Amino acid sequence: MNILINQIGYMPEARKVAAVRGGLFQNAEILNEKDQAVLCVPVSSEKTSIWGDEVSYADFSELHVPGKYVVKIGDERSYPFEIAKDVYGKCLTALVDMFYYQRCGCDLSSDIGAFKHSACHMTKARVYGTQEYREVSGGWHDAGDFGRYIVPAAKAVCDLLIAYEWNKKAFEKAGITEIIGETKWELMWMLKMQREDGGVYHKATCASFCDMIMPDEEKEEIILSPVSTTATGDFAACMAMAYRFYKDADGAFALEMKNAAVKAWEFLQNNGAILFKNPAGITTGEYGDDCDQDERLWAAIELFRLTGEKKYEEAALSMIGDFDFTLAPLGWADVSGYAAIEGMDLEGELGEKCRQWVKTAAESRYKGINAYGIAMTDSLPWGSNMDVSDDGMLFYCAWKLTGDEKYREAMHKQLNYILGVNPMGYSYVSGFGTKCMRYPHHRPSIATGVCQPGMLSGGPASGMMDPVAKEFLQGKSAGKSYIDDHGSYSTNEICVYWNSPLVALMAAVKAE
Ligand code: G3I
Ligand code: 9MR
Ligand code: ZN
């Protein structure tokens, strides 16, 4: 396929640009469902080289009329797409429903189709290196595996809450899972992961990854890996942030989270960096990190927002100067971007610094945007579609802050890339788009042979970090280092914290 479009489609007023590769073309026609040409636009004559492609563009933004279309250039036709006001409604619902399907310790037998299973991982977990047991059922399975990890959980919860806060109206349609209810499921589990002294266990997993079985078939002992200050900092930030979403309707729960956040902060004050490494015998996801300053800063800013207490403001101000403002990552490892975007509305010096940070970082990402619309070219990390979606969130913040339309357009480009304007010609979301991801590294998908809609693939990763990637992706450019194969966990796994920024990005576009 050489005519690359967003395979779901576009909102009527959105910018609509097909990326075109291959020969030299004069014109592109847009055909309606009856195969009638409704518009003819030029294909740009200059081409940009990227990832082995020569890319030009056909801009058909002037087409606003709702309907189903294809782009035709020479003898080739694009995949079909739609123009409609609520073009993303179904996909957004599916992206949110994914969290429900990822639930652990919940009987999903009646209402969810192929991924049904009885309540899983219900046995008490043993604290690593002891004979002490704790009840830590609940939460979401992280990804294609069934581990439950605090660090990525905090990112996923915050993205969903932010998505909801930024654009409530994107979620108004009946049928959309109630975000606040779903995040509560995860938050309740996170609360169980806090130790009496405020420290938070890094993860609850078996010792190693299981076979490609359903969650209720994994019966190995569950082990609580040691407390880390990255998990504790993320926990403090996430709980402090979540407070404001529950305080009116669910006051007791909100208060419990506030107290837990303060306790986690105290633990951070009493302890230097405790950085996590998988202890002997544990081989599940590590979520290791070589720095906990970003987690501490994020926690300080959230606790200041929540309590207004000077000590948190002072702590944040004493740390913020050490950060590089050209970067505001919303990742699981570096969470400093959450400090920046959550501090944006504060008054005084701290708020001013955070606004400066968001602007500087967004501008530096913006400058890196390539011919396919994303801000990474030379190499793509494991889970690159998360970085693309995270950039979409950052551009949204910069647009809201500055009013500069270029950031809004950049935000749209991130979504269009995920849904088809990429060198693979894939929609990376299962069930949406003609050529969409179908074979994720996801145990329930593999065990049942069914790929439910609404899961975002990690996407191209240039490091060839699994056996399938090593076998099939040698010599590919970064943007093409992707294979839709059950075995390629470094390019085609699915994850709660990859879906979550896409929820925020799609909701932001949908609410326009
Ligand atoms: O820390 C280095 C950094 O210094 C260097 O500049 C960079 C260059 O590539 O690499 C950095 O390390 C990477 C690390 O992520 C942090 O970004 C590793 O190469 C990379 O392999 C690692 O990938 C992580 C992967 O687990 C393996 O640990 C992914 O981000 C992470 O999303 C993924 O998470 C897994 C869980 O472990 C288990 N559950 C599924 C989940 C998704 O695949
Ligand atoms: O299935 C595991 C996946 O969820 C992880 O992201 C990935 C990297 O940590 O590891 C996968 O498990 C593989 C393991 O690392 C090596 N043996 C084969 C496992 C399944 O493919
Ligand atoms: Zn489970």
Side-chain angles (χ1 to χ4, degrees), residues 143-146 149 209-210 212 283-286 382 441 443 465 467 486-487 489-490 493:
D145 66 321
F146 302 134
Y149 310 81
F209 293 119
C210 63
M212 299 299 140
T283 57
T284 47
E286 183 165 77
W382 186 316
H441 184 78
R443 284 168 174 73
M465 293 169 280
H486 283 316
Y489 48 83
S490 73
E493 189 159 358

Side-chain angles (χ1 to χ4, degrees), residues 190-482:
M190 290 173 76
L191 285 170
K192 296 180 185 178
M193 294 288 284
Q194 186 173 39
R195 207 166 58 182
E196 289 58 38
D197 66 352
V200 178
Y201 294 107
H202 197 76
K203 59 176 177 174
T205 70
C206 299
S208 57
F209 293 119
C210 63
D211 292 338
M212 299 299 140
I213 53 178
M214 291 300 280
D216 51 354
E217 290 165 338
E218 191 182 47
K219 302 286 190 197
E220 301 299 308
E221 181 186 40
I222 302 168
I223 301 165
L224 284 174
S225 282
V227 166
S228 69
T229 46
T230 50
T232 306
D234 283 337
F235 174 99
C238 182
M239 290 294 159
M241 176 188 176
Y243 175 86
R244 67 177 187 263
F245 294 84
Y246 295 88
K247 66 175 191 317
D248 296 333
D250 207 345
F253 178 59
L255 194 60
E256 196 184 338
M257 290 195 290
K258 181 179 175 180
N259 293 337
V262 169
K263 231 165 107 178
W265 175 261
E266 280 158 11
F267 181 88
L268 294 175
Q269 295 315 102
N270 296 334
N271 290 274
I274 307 172
L275 301 174
F276 187 80
K277 285 264 168 279
N278 265 337
I282 306 275
T283 57
T284 47
E286 183 165 77
Y287 293 110
D289 199 332
D290 51 16
C291 173
D292 70 357
Q293 285 299 106
D294 47 312
E295 287 80 6
R296 287 173 189 262
L297 176 66
W298 182 24
I301 286 187
E302 295 290 3
L303 277 156
F304 178 55
R305 253 187 97 159
L306 169 60
T307 64
E309 282 177 41
K310 273 258 162 280
K311 65 174 179 188
Y312 299 117
E313 185 183 32
E314 280 162 13
L317 280 169
S318 77
M319 288 186 272
I320 198 166
D322 297 334
F323 286 84
D324 174 358
F325 278 18
T326 64
L327 304 169
L330 303 168
W332 59 259
D334 189 337
V335 295
S336 59
Y338 290 99
I341 67 173
E342 279 286 287
M344 240 169 50
D345 297 329
L346 292 173
E347 285 167 6
E349 189 190 346
L350 191 53
E352 189 45 50
K353 286 219 157 92
C354 289
R355 287 188 287 279
Q356 204 51 50
W357 191 347
V358 170
K359 282 190 228 166
T360 312
E363 184 57 21
S364 97
R365 294 306 275 177
Y366 182 82
K367 285 202 186 112
I369 285 181
N370 67 26
Y372 277 113
I374 68 164
M376 297 170 289
T377 302
D378 297 339
S379 71
L380 292 178
W382 186 316
S384 62
N385 283 339
M386 175 191 84
D387 298 76
V388 173
S389 308
D390 289 350
D391 280 342
M393 291 176 69
L394 183 64
F395 290 136
Y396 174 81
C397 291
W399 170 46
K400 287 288 159 178
L401 197 57
T402 64
D404 192 334
E405 286 293 311
K406 75 177 185 188
Y407 294 126
R408 187 172 74 99
E409 215 176 280
M411 166 176 91
H412 280 249
K413 281 186 178 168
Q414 309 313 301
L415 185 65
N416 293 335
Y417 169 94
I418 295 278
L419 296 173
V421 188
N422 58 63
M424 296 302 298
Y426 261 90
S427 159
Y428 288 117
V429 178
S430 62
F432 292 88
T434 308
K435 185 181 176 187
C436 64
M437 186 266 282
R438 291 194 163 79
Y439 306 103
H441 184 78
H442 178 233
R443 284 168 174 73
S445 303
I446 298 170
T448 61
V450 178
C451 177
Q452 303 229 120
M455 300 184 286
L456 173 64
S457 164
S462 34
M464 287 182 286
M465 293 169 280
D466 65 67
V468 175
K470 282 196 177 79
E471 185 174 350
F472 295 103
L473 300 178
Q474 296 289 346
K476 302 267 186 207
S477 65
K480 293 180 183 169
S481 298
Y482 171 74

Side-chain angles (χ1 to χ4, degrees), residues 173-187:
K173 263 256 161 81
I176 293 237
T177 312
E178 174 66 89
I179 294 246
I180 300 298
E182 196 51 49
T183 46
K184 184 175 177 183
W185 181 261
E186 181 77 340
L187 287 160

